[in-house]
Amino acid sequence: MKKNDIVKIKITSATAEGSGVGKTEDNIVVFVPMTAIGDEIEARILKVKKTYAFGKIEKIITPSAARISPDCPNFSKCGGCVWRHISYDEELKIKSKKVKDAVERIGGISTEFRPIIGSDRVNRYRNKAQLPVGKDKEGGAVIGFYAFHSHRIIDCDDCALQPEIFKTVMDVTRDFIERTNTDIYDESTGKGRLRHLYIRLGEVTNELMVCYVVNGNGLKQEDMLVKMLRESLPNLKTVVFNSNREKTNVILGNKNRVAYGKGYITDVLCRLKFKISPFSFWQVNRAQAEKLYSKAKEYAKLSGDEVLLDLYCGTGTIGLTMAQDCKQLVGVEIVEDAVNDAKANAEANEINNARFICADAPTAAEQLRKEGTAPDVVILDPPRKGCGEELVKTIRKMNPKRVVYVSCDPATLARDLKYFSENGYITHEVTPCDMFPRTAHCESVALLTKN
């Protein structure tokens, strides 16, 4: 097999990133994006490795029964969605299998898998957007999303995953750039001013935050920009300028300056009101977050007498939704702004049995162990890299009865479940939850009990 060969294959499975997988007559595996399980296709080979190859669709001979027509003009270009060409039921099957395969193969864990929690909405569910700003070949402004595995910006007027009001914010921003000839950041040189447009919306409160990430302290004529936003967006609550002078892929810098409003918005989750600042962690799919947290609460099995430890607590969302059912809540988070928000959220919701520690999870867990605070239940909601073996060992020393692990990456979940297994905790049950319809990502929640 060589580059540009045309091969006939049937797609029999899918990868975690959304490519279909088939085999040639010579038993060589070929990965083909934009395919569906059941497709019979002719594929053009783009790259050949020793035992596998990458290709693209040359011709669909027989389409899969799960295949549908994509409803987004940027689907084949943007690096966001990967499943807009298949039915949502088929997507849920793939994601459920993805979690099960990871836990069993990587973790070596045999456990019960519950049915995946599907989303009531597959479009317009996101309450957050981080949109890079750049220039096209003619020097015009582009605002949109990075192409798959690149930093090439795909210009986008409207994303089907985001609220329609985000399009208005983008339109106003484009108008401002054109009127003022705003200096746009160049990633290759590190020069220029405007880097990212960052938007957040309170789904229940309808409060809107607009944040501009700039290579400096602000933008020229930013008063004009604030005025344009206020005139077009009656639900605008705050405008923030975030300063990021580093030549880095990290979007936000460490400093915020409020240009309008109070610098935060609020929203409601599980009947509690939460304060959300630019640095705050807040689930992008609020409705699904309620379902996920409900499952986590079910797994925690709180009776009212427990000490509940919420590691990676963010603005306190998971722990605070369970605070009324435990004796004491201790939240741990490394981001200081998020900890301050968590404290304010506890006060605003008149929750008096919670305290929050600003530290990384391993350091705080060790601190609690040394001071003699012994949690009965531990909730983990780590970033994509997972929590790691050392934190698992620290948790084991704290000897909780149950651990509830909320994960955004099946591979690191599987690895950590293996660590827990080696440290005396059995994975009792795993429930996948689709927080991000049409994308490759899938969350899950696992219940672990002390052996």
Side-chain angles (χ1 to χ4, degrees):
M1 183 183 290
K2 60 184 184 299
K3 184 178 178 180
N4 286 323
D5 278 356
I6 304 297
V7 296
K8 184 178 177 180
I9 58 174
K10 182 172 182 177
I11 303 301
T12 56
S13 62
T15 70
E17 288 189 331
S19 289
V21 184
K23 287 185 178 181
T24 68
E25 292 180 352
D26 298 329
N27 216 34
I28 296 176
V29 174
V30 183
F31 299 94
V32 187
M34 311 289 289
T35 54
I37 296 175
D39 276 346
E40 292 185 17
I41 66 168
E42 288 182 353
R44 180 178 293 276
I45 300 302
L46 302 178
K47 184 185 293 186
V48 180
K49 298 291 186 178
K50 188 174 182 180
T51 58
Y52 62 92
F54 298 94
K56 69 175 183 177
I57 296 174
E58 186 74 10
K59 178 184 177 182
I60 298 177
I61 301 170
T62 305
S64 164
R67 180 176 282 278
I68 62 174
S69 298
D71 57 355
C72 174
N74 291 316
F75 172 53
S76 62
K77 309 170 189 174
C78 169
C81 295
V82 298
W83 298 125
R84 286 202 165 271
H85 62 298
I86 64 174
S87 69
Y88 187 51
D89 284 345
E90 181 74 2
E91 178 184 343
L92 291 179
K93 291 177 185 176
I94 292 171
K95 289 181 172 179
S96 186
K97 187 175 186 298
K98 171 183 174 180
V99 173
K100 187 173 186 293
D101 286 351
V103 171
E104 291 180 343
R105 288 190 299 103
I106 300 173
I109 302 293
S110 178
T111 188
E112 182 176 359
F113 291 88
R114 304 298 296 167
I116 188 169
I117 301 172
S119 177
D120 295 330
R121 290 187 297 169
V122 298
N123 286 325
R124 308 295 183 189
Y125 62 82
R126 288 188 62 93
N127 55 49
K128 173 184 174 182
Q130 291 175 311
L131 305 161
V133 183
K135 292 181 180 180
D136 58 23
K137 293 179 181 179
E138 288 72 40
V142 292
I143 303 174
F145 304 94
Y146 291 126
F148 188 63
H149 282 184
S150 83
H151 270 221
R152 178 171 56 86
I153 301 173
I154 304 299
D155 199 27
C156 179
D157 290 330
D158 182 27
C159 172
L161 299 185
Q162 297 172 0
E164 292 174 338
I165 196 169
F166 284 16
K167 180 183 187 305
T168 305
V169 178
M170 295 166 71
D171 289 343
V172 171
T173 303
R174 283 190 174 95
D175 188 20
F176 171 78
I177 292 171
E178 186 175 345
R179 286 195 201 183
T180 61
N181 195 28
T182 295
D183 190 21
I184 295 174
Y185 182 74
D186 186 329
E187 205 175 51
S188 61
T189 65
K191 296 181 180 179
R193 187 60 65 100
L194 180 58
R195 300 176 66 137
H196 272 80
L197 168 60
Y198 174 21
I199 315 169
R200 297 189 104 159
L201 178 70
E203 185 179 335
V204 175
T205 62
N206 200 37
E207 295 179 0
L208 180 69
M209 171 196 297
V210 179
C211 177
Y212 293 96
V213 183
V214 295
N215 181 29
N217 289 324
L219 297 175
K220 293 180 180 179
Q221 297 179 268
E222 64 182 43
D223 289 345
M224 174 183 171
L225 175 57
V226 172
K227 183 174 182 292
M228 292 170 65
L229 291 168
R230 293 182 64 185
E231 288 173 349
S232 301
L233 301 159
N235 61 331
L236 181 70
K237 288 296 179 182
T238 190
V239 179
V240 179
F241 286 88
N242 174 269
S243 178
N244 185 356
R245 299 174 183 268
E246 302 297 321
K247 194 173 180 181
T248 174
N249 290 336
V250 177
I251 294 174
L252 292 175
N254 296 322
K255 183 180 178 182
N256 288 325
R257 178 173 56 81
V258 179
Y260 169 71
K262 296 182 178 180
Y264 64 87
I265 58 173
T266 60
D267 203 7
V268 176
L269 183 69
C270 298
R271 298 185 297 278
L272 297 180
K273 196 169 186 177
F274 290 92
K275 175 183 173 182
I276 308 163
S277 65
F279 292 134
S280 300
F281 173 78
W282 182 252
Q283 292 282 6
V284 300
N285 188 339
R286 190 201 65 87
Q288 278 300 95
E290 287 196 332
K291 294 181 184 180
L292 180 68
Y293 292 177
S294 176
K295 178 57 70 172
K297 185 175 180 179
E298 175 191 321
Y299 282 172
K301 298 179 183 177
L302 300 172
S303 64
D305 295 325
E306 294 88 356
V307 175
L308 176 63
L309 175 59
D310 182 7
L311 294 175
Y312 308 97
C313 71
T315 56
T317 49
I318 297 183
L320 290 175
T321 61
M322 301 183 191
Q324 64 180 357
D325 299 304
C326 68
K327 181 173 67 177
Q328 183 187 10
L329 166 66
V330 181
V332 174
E333 170 60 50
I334 195 171
V335 179
E336 186 176 359
D337 278 25
V339 171
N340 292 334
D341 286 347
K343 292 176 180 177
N345 289 331
E347 184 177 353
N349 289 287
E350 299 181 349
I351 295 173
N352 302 314
N353 63 336
R355 68 168 171 137
F356 296 92
I357 300 170
C358 186
D360 63 45
T363 301
E366 186 65 22
Q367 173 189 326
L368 290 168
R369 189 185 67 83
K370 288 180 178 178
E371 72 181 38
T373 299
D376 301 287
V377 180
V378 172
I379 295 178
L380 294 167
D381 187 8
R384 195 165 297 279
K385 67 180 181 179
C387 58
E389 188 173 12
E390 290 307 310
L391 179 58
V392 170
K393 289 179 178 179
T394 302
I395 292 171
R396 179 199 64 193
K397 293 175 184 177
M398 302 175 82
N399 204 31
K401 299 173 185 175
R402 287 178 296 283
V403 175
V404 180
Y405 193 135
V406 179
S407 168
C408 60
D409 185 87
T412 55
L413 170 67
R415 179 204 65 197
D416 289 343
L417 293 184
K418 183 177 181 181
Y419 291 149
F420 273 109
S421 176
E422 294 167 350
N423 283 274
Y425 282 83
I426 298 170
T427 302
H428 181 70
E429 189 173 292
V430 177
T431 301
C433 181
D434 186 22
M435 297 288 290
F436 313 102
R438 294 331 203 179
T439 76
H441 304 296
C442 184
E443 298 227 354
S444 48
V445 55
L447 169 62
L448 297 95
T449 54
K450 184 181 173 185
N451 188 356

